[in-house]
């Protein structure tokens, strides 16, 4: 636990470093903090903060900079949001096709933050309208799954034993008569309770079909739009480290790690902040991510966020992400 004097000096140091990008010395801290403390007292407090791992001393300067742990304490206990940030509350998203909405939202996040904006595509409800099984050969079956909007998914599966076309038709008819219009999750749950009433091969076939549908929906959902990667080229914290920039651009190119991180964020309420590799999914000490889920009709369907250096104005990023998440939900609900 820090005393109030230490908290005040740490808060001032973080705010000055975010604003100026230069290590903060004891003389600057004395003037900026407004505390009537001698330089010697401030140096002692800074030494204590450094010993706690909250600040660090770059080799080229007598000043101090925040560590990821220092930023975390600042964000969790000292951050005060500024109301009515210019540019954020005047931004607008027009109702449109989902992909256009998320592309516009990613660009908006990038433009407002001057960093990188990321938005995942809205997840479609995993509902099937019609299913059909076709025998291709011994123990080989083609599953045809049709969604309510007419999207068709085909997948070949292998069954434990050979089934006739008549048996496959029986399974198709059962699914279409009793489960059409339900979500795949609801179908899976009902099959779990009704499996004893079905013949073993039919129950297995129906469960396999549900898994095919779930896999197809998951593939459709795994899309993320990234905007503003080039903004990082002008960030002072990265401009002299081509190795870091290369790793970051690889991250944006592959997108798999981003999807895992944003999927984690979608299961939490409100804005989440990951600082300096805390997420374990994007383990870069020089990066911070501010993210939030967005909702349509009261259901979380996607996630968005801003990716930038740990030295970012967190109060502004929180508002940018929070307001944009609400605008995306509204735009998708009105289309």
């Amino acid at each position: 636990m820090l005393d109030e004097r230490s908290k005040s000096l740490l808060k001032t140091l973080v705010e000055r470093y975010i604003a100026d990008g230069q290590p903060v010395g004891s003389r600057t801290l004395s003037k900026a903090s407004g505390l009537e403390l001698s330089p010697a007292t401030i140096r002692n407090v800074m030494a204590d903060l450094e010993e706690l791992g909250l600040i660090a001393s770059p080799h080229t300067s007598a000043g101090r900079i925040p560590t990821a742990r220092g930023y975390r304490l600042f964000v969790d206990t000292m951050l005060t949001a500024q109301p009515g940030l210019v540019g954020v509350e005047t931004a607008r998203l027009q109702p449109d096709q989902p992909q256009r909405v998320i592309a516009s939202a990613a660009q908006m996040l990038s433009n407002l933050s001057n960093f990188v904006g990321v938005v995942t595509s809205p997840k479609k409800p995993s509902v099937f309208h019609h299913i059909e099984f076709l025998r291709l050969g011994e123990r080989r079956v083609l599953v045809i799954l049709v969604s309510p909007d007419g999207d068709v998914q085909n997948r070949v599966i292998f069954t434990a034993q050979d089934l006739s076309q008549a048996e496959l038709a029986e399974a198709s008819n059962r699914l279409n008569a009793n489960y059409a219009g339900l979500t795949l999750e609801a179908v899976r749950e009902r099959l779990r309770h009704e499996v004893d009433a079905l013949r073993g091969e039919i129950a297995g076939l129906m469960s396999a079909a549900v898994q095919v549908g779930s896999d197809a929906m998951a593939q459709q959902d795994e899309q993320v739009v990234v905007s503003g990667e080039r903004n990082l080229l002008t960030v002072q914290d990265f401009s002299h480290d081509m190795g870091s920039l290369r790793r970051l651009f690889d991250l944006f190119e592959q997108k798999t790690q981003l999807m895992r991180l944003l999927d984690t964020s979608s299961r939490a309420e409100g804005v989440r902040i990951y600082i300096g590799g805390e997420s374990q999914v994007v383990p870069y000490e020089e990066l911070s991510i501010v993210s939030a889920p967005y909702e349509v009709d009261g259901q979380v369907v996607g996630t968005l966020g801003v990716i930038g250096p740990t030295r970012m104005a967190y109060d502004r990023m929180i508002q940018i992400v929070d307001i944009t998440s609400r605008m995306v939900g509204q735009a998708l609900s009105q289309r």
Side-chain angles (χ1 to χ4, degrees):
M1 295 293 291
L2 299 180
D3 58 29
E4 291 304 316
R5 182 178 64 183
S6 298
K7 287 181 181 179
S8 178
L9 289 175
L10 177 61
K11 181 176 186 289
T12 303
L13 186 147
V14 173
E15 290 174 341
R16 285 304 299 259
Y17 184 67
I18 288 175
D20 302 335
Q22 299 297 324
V24 182
S26 57
R27 181 174 298 179
T28 300
L29 204 53
S30 176
K31 294 178 180 178
S33 68
L35 300 176
E36 296 182 358
L37 300 173
S38 68
T41 300
I42 290 180
R43 283 194 293 270
N44 289 336
V45 173
M46 291 175 74
D48 292 340
L49 294 175
E50 189 166 5
E51 188 173 341
L52 291 170
L54 299 172
I55 62 176
S57 176
H59 298 300
T60 57
S61 172
R64 302 293 191 275
I65 64 174
T67 63
R69 188 176 179 182
Y71 279 121
R72 170 52 62 192
L73 184 61
F74 170 78
V75 166
D76 288 348
T77 65
M78 307 172 190
L79 192 64
T80 53
Q82 301 296 321
L85 291 175
V86 176
V88 179
E89 294 183 342
T90 59
R92 292 289 182 271
L93 276 178
Q94 299 300 320
D96 204 334
Q97 294 299 314
Q99 285 302 118
R100 291 182 181 175
V101 170
I102 66 169
S104 298
Q107 187 173 17
M108 177 185 295
L109 287 166
S110 174
N111 291 342
L112 290 172
S113 67
N114 292 319
F115 299 134
V116 181
V118 292
V119 187
T120 63
S121 297
K123 295 180 180 179
K124 298 179 181 179
S126 53
V127 178
F128 80 89
H129 173 67
H130 181 79
I131 195 165
E132 191 169 347
F133 302 110
L134 294 178
R135 186 179 186 276
L136 298 179
E138 186 175 355
R139 297 193 297 116
R140 291 177 66 241
V141 175
L142 176 66
V143 181
I144 304 172
L145 192 71
V146 183
S147 69
D149 58 5
D151 186 36
V152 179
Q153 296 288 335
N154 299 317
R155 190 76 57 85
V156 176
I157 63 173
F158 295 86
T159 57
Q161 56 186 310
D162 194 24
L163 298 172
S164 68
Q165 185 58 51
E167 290 173 312
L168 295 175
E170 178 188 347
S172 299
N173 291 336
R174 274 183 176 272
L175 275 172
N176 292 324
N178 298 306
Y179 303 105
L182 297 177
T183 66
L184 293 174
E185 290 76 13
V187 175
R188 192 193 306 275
E189 187 63 28
R190 282 184 54 177
L191 284 176
R192 188 177 294 118
H193 294 294
E194 298 171 9
V195 67
D196 293 338
L198 300 169
R199 293 210 318 270
E201 63 270 21
I202 299 300
L205 186 64
M206 294 168 72
S207 295
V210 172
Q211 186 59 49
V212 167
S214 298
D215 292 344
M217 292 299 177
Q219 288 180 0
Q220 290 179 7
D221 291 340
E222 289 182 358
Q223 299 180 23
V224 57
V225 177
V226 182
S227 179
E229 302 99 309
R230 294 183 63 85
N231 286 342
L232 297 184
L233 295 174
T234 61
V235 173
Q236 174 185 332
D237 308 61
F238 301 139
S239 59
H240 301 301
D241 188 347
M242 292 307 297
S244 293
L245 279 174
R246 193 174 295 111
R247 290 198 304 274
L248 297 182
F249 277 83
D250 286 344
L251 167 66
F252 301 135
E253 187 70 27
Q254 296 171 1
K255 297 185 179 179
T256 304
Q257 287 178 293
L258 281 180
M259 283 301 308
R260 288 169 56 201
L261 173 67
L262 294 173
D263 181 60
T264 300
S265 299
S266 71
R267 296 193 289 270
E269 292 185 6
V271 177
R272 291 285 300 273
I273 301 173
Y274 302 95
I275 300 173
E278 287 178 335
S279 69
Q280 302 300 312
V281 179
V282 185
Y284 297 124
E285 289 300 318
E286 60 270 34
L287 270 189
S288 282
I289 302 172
V290 181
S291 64
Y294 64 87
E295 299 180 355
V296 175
D297 298 327
Q299 297 294 319
V300 173
V301 297
T303 317
L304 53 78
V306 166
I307 300 176
T310 52
R311 187 179 69 85
M312 65 164 65
Y314 290 97
D315 54 351
R316 180 175 174 82
M317 298 306 127
I318 289 170
Q319 288 203 29
I320 289 172
V321 168
D322 182 45
I323 291 173
T324 305
S325 69
R326 284 186 268 123
M327 287 195 295
V328 170
Q330 292 170 359
L332 292 176
S333 299
Q334 295 172 15
R335 66 181 186 86

